[in-house]
Amino acid sequence: MRSTAARAALGAGGCRRYARTVQPVEVLRYTAFADPEAGGTGGNPAGVVLDAAGLGDDEMLAIARRVGYSETAFVTGVVGDRVRVRYFSPAAEVPFCGHATVALAVAIAERQGAGRRVFATASGDVVLRASDTTAGVQVAMTSVGPATRGLPDERLMPLLAVLGLTLDDLDAGHPPLEAFAGNWHPVLVLADQDLFHQFRFAPDVLAELMRRSSWPATVTVLHPVGPGETAGPGRQGAAR
């Protein structure tokens, strides 16, 4: 199911889209946050299934594995403006995924029109408003309430070991923490930008640690970009 689709186009709102029909389920591929002025480059890819009402858990997981992106969003039911949504990584169901939510909102708006919708997710209700603009569909999202908490040593040290890092590699101005915006996940900020671009990890080992630690989706690693700025682009390891 890698994109050998006959039709591929730049989706509205900076989402690049692909469509393939795997009978009887249509699977869409979007790249949320792609830059339409740069030919749709960049962004974060997600799978989208608009009609998953008849799919079981194993079937949704199998589709997510074939899509191969960090998450695929599945619409399992619609009542009025409320859309029931589930998210699957290639390894398991996850409670929420921000970029897949944006991709799904654009896909629905392209087919059913702009407007306000509420996505009912395992992490709570997410209110979205899609609008048509000259640049395409734009989506504003009010997500679940964010939260942070400290990352204790008994959870931090195994993570550093898997990533091949030490405490000395971390930026002193940004203590390690766990963040929540639908999923709890660890956030590490490295002091050295060069190390950020060089460190490596074993995906299978990291995925097992994430499962044991109840981190369902990602590990986020960042680096400072300048005085007064928090951090640069993140590297994420999806549980696969």
Side-chain angles (χ1 to χ4, degrees):
M1 276 177 52
R2 285 288 175 188
S3 181
T4 56
R7 63 188 184 93
L10 183 64
C15 278
R16 188 170 60 248
R17 66 176 180 269
Y18 305 91
R20 290 191 67 176
T21 300
V22 180
Q23 295 294 341
V25 179
E26 184 181 40
V27 180
L28 305 173
R29 292 167 176 252
Y30 275 71
T31 302
F33 313 124
D35 183 357
E37 295 183 358
T41 58
N44 205 347
V48 171
V49 177
L50 294 175
D51 183 7
L55 298 179
D57 292 6
D58 290 346
E59 292 170 302
M60 287 187 277
L61 179 59
I63 289 172
R65 285 174 175 165
R66 290 197 297 269
V67 170
Y69 295 152
S70 59
E71 283 86 19
T72 295
F74 296 82
V75 175
T76 59
V78 180
V79 178
D81 70 347
R82 290 183 62 81
V83 181
R84 293 197 301 273
V85 184
R86 296 175 67 182
Y87 307 88
F88 282 79
S89 79
E93 184 172 10
V94 298
F96 182 72
C97 173
H99 72 274
T101 298
V102 171
L104 174 58
V106 172
I108 292 174
E110 286 180 340
R111 289 156 180 78
Q112 302 175 16
R116 178 186 182 275
R117 291 177 176 89
V118 179
F119 286 4
T121 78
S123 294
D125 287 354
V126 179
V127 179
L128 302 104
R129 184 173 295 277
S131 56
D132 291 315
T133 72
T134 55
V137 176
Q138 300 291 321
V139 174
M141 179 174 72
T142 302
S143 187
V144 297
T148 60
R149 64 191 182 195
L151 185 59
D153 286 348
E154 60 267 25
R155 294 166 69 79
L156 170 62
M157 299 310 293
L159 176 59
L160 292 177
V162 169
L163 298 179
L165 301 171
T166 70
L167 288 172
D168 291 338
D169 294 325
L170 302 180
D171 184 76
H174 299 89
L177 54 80
E178 288 181 290
F180 179 86
N183 300 311
W184 282 106
H185 63 280
V187 179
L188 305 178
V189 182
L190 303 185
D192 184 8
Q193 183 173 344
D194 290 338
L195 177 61
F196 170 85
H197 291 295
Q198 295 172 10
F199 84 94
R200 298 290 184 269
F201 57 88
D204 290 345
V205 177
L206 178 59
E208 176 57 31
L209 175 64
M210 291 169 67
R211 283 189 284 269
R212 295 200 311 267
S213 303
S214 298
W215 297 325
T218 59
V219 171
T220 299
V221 181
L222 310 166
H223 68 84
V225 294
E229 299 182 55
T230 53
R235 294 181 58 180
Q236 299 184 342
R240 302 221 172 168

